Each structure stands twice: as structure tokens, then as C-alpha cells.
Amino acid sequence: GILERRTMALRLLLLFAVAACASGLENGLGRTPAMGYNTWNDLRCNGITSANVRAIVDKMVELGLGEYGYEYVNIDDCWSDKKGRDEKGRLVPAPSQFPEGMKALSDYVHSKGFKFGMYTDRGDRTCAGYPASRGYEMIDAATFADWGVDYLKEDSCYATSVKAEAFYEYSLMRDALNATNRPIYFSMCGWNPWYAPPNDDVHYKGGAATGNSWRIAGDATDWLSTFNNIQINSKLSAYAGPGGWNDPDMLIGSSPGTASVLLPHQARTMFSLWCVMAAPLLIGSKLTNMTAFDLETYTNKDAILVDQDPLGIQGRPVVDTCPQEKLSVLVAKGRRLMARRSKKGLFLDPALETIPDCHQVWVKPLQSGATAIALVNYGVNATRMRVDFGTVLGIEGKAHVKDLWLKRTFPASHSYAELVAGNGGGSLLLVTPGGTG
């Protein structure tokens, strides 16, 4: 009845209230999740050159991606000289890859209306074995600032996994970046959910007090690892908000010729979920060879508005038939998946290799009073999914539904139902209370 629906609406408001209170790192950045491009899912270490980055920037201009909110052009690992630092202790771009130096490339990126991002590691080496920032935080931050860097991703390879020490090392780079007086978005890449919440035992104030975003899981390289990262992030929504975001990893497209590829419908479902999860949107597809389908996915203004909603609430599943596993179990699975990739042929038990036959309904309240809803079906077969607005959203009366991919609006109703394709099929909906049609 009406009382039950009002109670449900109140419970939803209380449920999301904690997330709205999460405070961000006060560098003035990341008020909405970062958007841009990153080289890793596209190139890995192959072709990290000034010429290729300039070509990517030119393609971003040609495609008009800046008009949709994509602002960062980020170089990942494998850019520096493996021989080490210069006589003043500074990182050096590989001369054969960046003959004109990094400042000239940064200037080019800025001249095209974009911001420039770079990569380092808090350990002794980067993941690909290049010089890293442990013990060099102040000089590296100053170097990046001198080069005109606007975004820094700091990885966690060849580094301690002791929480207190990891938190401390990230705080060193945070403070070093702040000391440059240049606004630099700080992306922590520690691959663990324990970066999100505060930890009083070691005086850690949480991800939002340390970085603008923090990786909550291992690399998403296929649909299986993407599923695992989604399940981990589903438990962390309370810690995200303007200024600081949970990062379930960079986007994977379906365009050929890239290091990581999904099926087209999976890539679109990933984008839908990333938008509802208020996750950073960093394209990892080959922009110079992008399919029309992927371009349509990444330039859907309605979906992007969901991700960039100024209320800054991370969505969460309200209908969930997937196994309810503890974070520690999901993290262990993620580690084994990463180990399998680094040691090709490593045997995993079939249970770990199989995505459960389940589905989820995710909801994200928006500043307008509407609600974004993502449906996702992980099972093999198509399944009929239904959302009752009174039960799930606490809406009294009818609501209008707009399918953000089909760009179709449905008559006002008390519910919505759809046959959702299997193996990662999904939908993204905008539900607005009111209406009699």
C-alpha cells in the first residue's frame, strides 16, 4: 500500500545519504568522475610514442569527443627511459619514443583543448619494469608539474601490500602533488577495495581524503574480470562522491586491434554500469579504428549525464540474484584471475572461470529527482526482468520510462519489464515519477 511505498522511499533516501556525505580530496578536482582516454587497454606497451599520442589527440578532435566531456589524454606505463633517471634524479622520457620531450607533447595536448595525464608507480619499478617513484615523490611531482601534467595515475607494482605502508606511500605523492600548486587529478591504482573506506587502526581517512579516484580491484581485461570488479564495487558505494570516486578500471570496447576487447553488447553494458556506478570513463579502444557501435556507445549524452550527475551518488543493485560473496572472496578471485593472465596457461578451477547465471537491477538517484536504472543479465540465456517502481523505488503512482540506448519513451506505468539478452545483455533506463499516460 501507500505506507509501504513511502517507507521504501524513505529507506532508499537513508541508504544513499551516507554516500552523499563522502568528502573529497580538497584539490578542487574530480567533482564528477574523470572522463578521457588511456593508452593501456588500447596499446599496452606497444607504440607509446609522441607521434601516436598526437594522432590519438587529433582523432579525439575529429570525433568531437571533447564536446561530450572527455578531457584527459593519459599515457600509461612504458613511457620512460629504462636506463634510469638523469643527473638531477628526474625521470626521463624514452628519447626514441618522445624525441621532443614530454613538455612539447603536453603543450600539443593542451593546444587541442584537452588535459594531459601520465603514469608512475609507488614501488621500486612500474608494472612493466620502468623507473618508479618510491623515494622520489617530491622530485617526480615537481617534474610532472613542470611538464604541464593534469592527471597522474600511480600504480602499485613492486610495492608493499601492508595497508599502513601503502596508505602512507600514496599520501606522500598526494602531498607532493599538492605542493606543486598545480591542480593535478590524483588516480590511485592499488587494485584493492580497502583503499575506499577510512581505517582508524592506521589513521587512514579513506580514499576520498587521499586521491580523486582509487582502483578497487584488479585489471578488467575480459567479461569475467569485469563481472568480478562490478561485484566488488557493488559493496563500496558509500565511499564515493564529488571529489573522490571508486574506480573499477578503464573501459573496454569492442573495436578490433586493441589489447582488451569485449563483445559489442558487453562493451555497451559495461558503459551503462560504469555510468550508474559513477565510475571514471576512460576509453581504452583504438580511436583511430573505432567501430560505429562503440562510438555510439561512448557518445550517448544521456548515459554520460547519468555518470556526470552533480549529486554524485554511486548506484547500487536493488535486485540481485548473483551469489552474495564476501569482499575477501571476490578479491581472492580477482588476484587469481590476474595471476592467470600473467602466467598464461595457469589452471583455474571451472567455478572461477564461470560467470554465475544471475542478473542485477542497479539504481542511481539523480539530482533532477529521476532515477537511472541499469539492467544486466550475466546468465547464458535471455531472461525477462521486471522492475516494480513502487516496490523497488518507492514511487507512488506511475512513472515515465526512457530507454537511453533505444531513445524510446514508454507510456507512464507502475512497472517496466523487458526480455534482456544473455551473456552480458543489458539496458539503461531513466525513470521519472509522475504522469497519467
Side-chain angles (χ1 to χ4, degrees):
I2 293 176
L3 180 61
E4 288 82 359
R5 285 194 292 274
R6 284 177 176 165
T7 302
M8 174 60 71
L10 179 62
R11 284 176 62 194
L12 273 174
L13 283 172
L14 290 172
L15 198 62
F16 285 104
V18 177
C21 292
S23 61
L25 170 68
E26 291 309 316
N27 60 5
L29 302 174
R31 306 314 296 174
T32 58
M35 295 178 62
Y37 163 89
N38 179 286
T39 58
W40 186 252
N41 280 347
D42 180 5
L43 302 171
R44 291 292 193 265
C45 284
N46 302 313
I48 305 300
T49 67
S50 176
N52 283 343
V53 173
R54 286 170 183 257
I56 288 162
V57 172
D58 292 345
K59 192 66 178 181
M60 291 178 73
V61 172
E62 179 188 325
L63 296 174
L65 291 182
E67 299 165 23
Y68 295 91
Y70 296 97
E71 60 177 342
Y72 293 106
V73 179
N74 297 344
I75 297 175
D76 210 278
D77 206 348
C78 315
W79 60 266
S80 68
D81 191 341
K82 266 196 170 178
K83 294 177 183 176
R85 297 170 177 268
D86 68 13
E87 67 281 356
K88 294 184 179 179
R90 295 174 301 197
L91 291 166
V92 179
S96 61
Q97 297 165 237
F98 300 92
E100 80 279 40
M102 207 57 81
K103 180 65 167 64
L105 178 58
S106 174
D107 288 345
Y108 186 80
V109 172
H110 292 144
S111 75
K112 298 296 184 178
F114 296 101
K115 294 178 179 177
F116 185 52
M118 292 196 69
Y119 167 100
T120 188
D121 189 291
R122 68 180 175 87
D124 298 315
R125 289 180 285 164
T126 70
C127 296
Y130 290 77
S133 290
R134 185 168 180 262
Y136 291 90
E137 288 84 2
M138 289 298 290
I139 192 169
D140 287 355
T143 300
F144 291 133
D146 288 344
W147 289 343
V149 168
D150 305 293
Y151 179 116
L152 183 67
K153 171 183 174 181
E154 188 171 43
D155 222 329
S156 288
C157 285
Y158 302 103
T160 176
S161 58
V162 176
K163 291 181 184 179
E165 295 176 24
F167 297 150
Y168 175 68
E169 289 176 353
Y170 272 124
S171 73
L172 288 176
M173 184 58 81
R174 173 201 63 193
D175 295 344
L177 292 172
N178 284 344
T180 68
N181 292 319
R182 179 177 179 83
I184 299 176
Y185 181 109
F186 186 32
S187 170
M188 303 155 58
C189 186
W191 335 308
N192 272 291
W194 41 257
Y195 285 100
N199 187 326
D200 293 337
D201 292 342
V202 292
H203 308 292
Y204 177 66
K205 294 182 179 179
T210 314
N212 297 111
S213 61
W214 46 92
R215 274 278 295 280
I216 51 86
D219 290 1
T221 60
D222 52 22
W223 186 238
L224 179 60
S225 51
T226 299
F227 169 81
N228 201 61
N229 287 15
I230 292 166
Q231 304 318 305
I232 290 174
N233 204 28
S234 72
K235 303 175 185 296
L236 302 173
S237 55
Y239 308 112
W245 310 97
N246 292 308
D247 178 7
D249 203 7
M250 298 166 288
L251 295 166
I252 309 173
S254 63
S255 300
T258 58
S260 294
V261 181
L262 295 177
L263 296 173
H265 71 276
Q266 292 172 341
R268 181 160 290 184
T269 296
M270 182 186 197
F271 192 78
S272 296
L273 285 168
W274 261 231
C275 290
V276 168
M277 293 192 297
L281 302 178
L282 296 174
I283 295 172
S285 289
K286 191 171 295 298
L287 295 174
T288 53
N289 191 37
M290 183 176 282
T291 64
F293 186 88
D294 276 0
L295 182 60
E296 183 183 79
T297 296
Y298 295 144
T299 56
N300 184 310
K301 288 184 177 179
D302 288 333
I304 291 169
L305 284 173
V306 170
D307 180 77
Q308 297 288 297
D309 186 71
L311 198 58
I313 291 177
Q314 177 177 316
R316 66 186 77 202
V318 293
V319 175
D320 189 352
T321 67
C322 296
Q324 299 305 299
E325 295 178 305
K326 293 182 179 179
L327 264 179
S328 57
V329 174
L330 293 167
V331 170
K333 282 186 177 181
R335 286 204 186 105
R336 292 172 70 186
L337 288 171
M338 286 187 76
R340 177 196 62 176
R341 290 192 294 272
S342 62
K343 302 173 184 174
K344 293 179 180 178
L346 181 70
F347 175 79
L348 291 178
D349 61 86
L352 186 58
E353 291 278 11
T354 305
I355 295 176
D357 188 356
C358 63
H359 61 266
Q360 292 176 321
V361 176
W362 286 70
V363 303
K364 173 179 166 65
L366 305 176
Q367 189 178 58
S368 65
T371 302
I373 295 183
L375 311 179
V376 57
N377 177 19
Y378 303 107
V380 175
N381 300 313
T383 189
R384 188 166 182 80
M385 296 178 64
R386 184 176 183 275
V387 181
D388 182 277
F389 302 143
T391 304
V392 173
L393 300 179
I395 293 176
E396 297 180 28
K398 295 181 178 180
H400 288 284
V401 177
K402 180 180 180 181
D403 186 313
L404 300 188
W405 291 118
L406 298 179
K407 305 186 189 307
R408 177 183 172 193
T409 301
F410 297 88
S413 176
H414 293 283
S415 63
Y416 175 85
E418 179 186 339
L419 185 66
V420 181
N423 193 26
S427 290
L428 183 60
L429 312 170
L430 188 68
V431 179
T432 307
T436 57

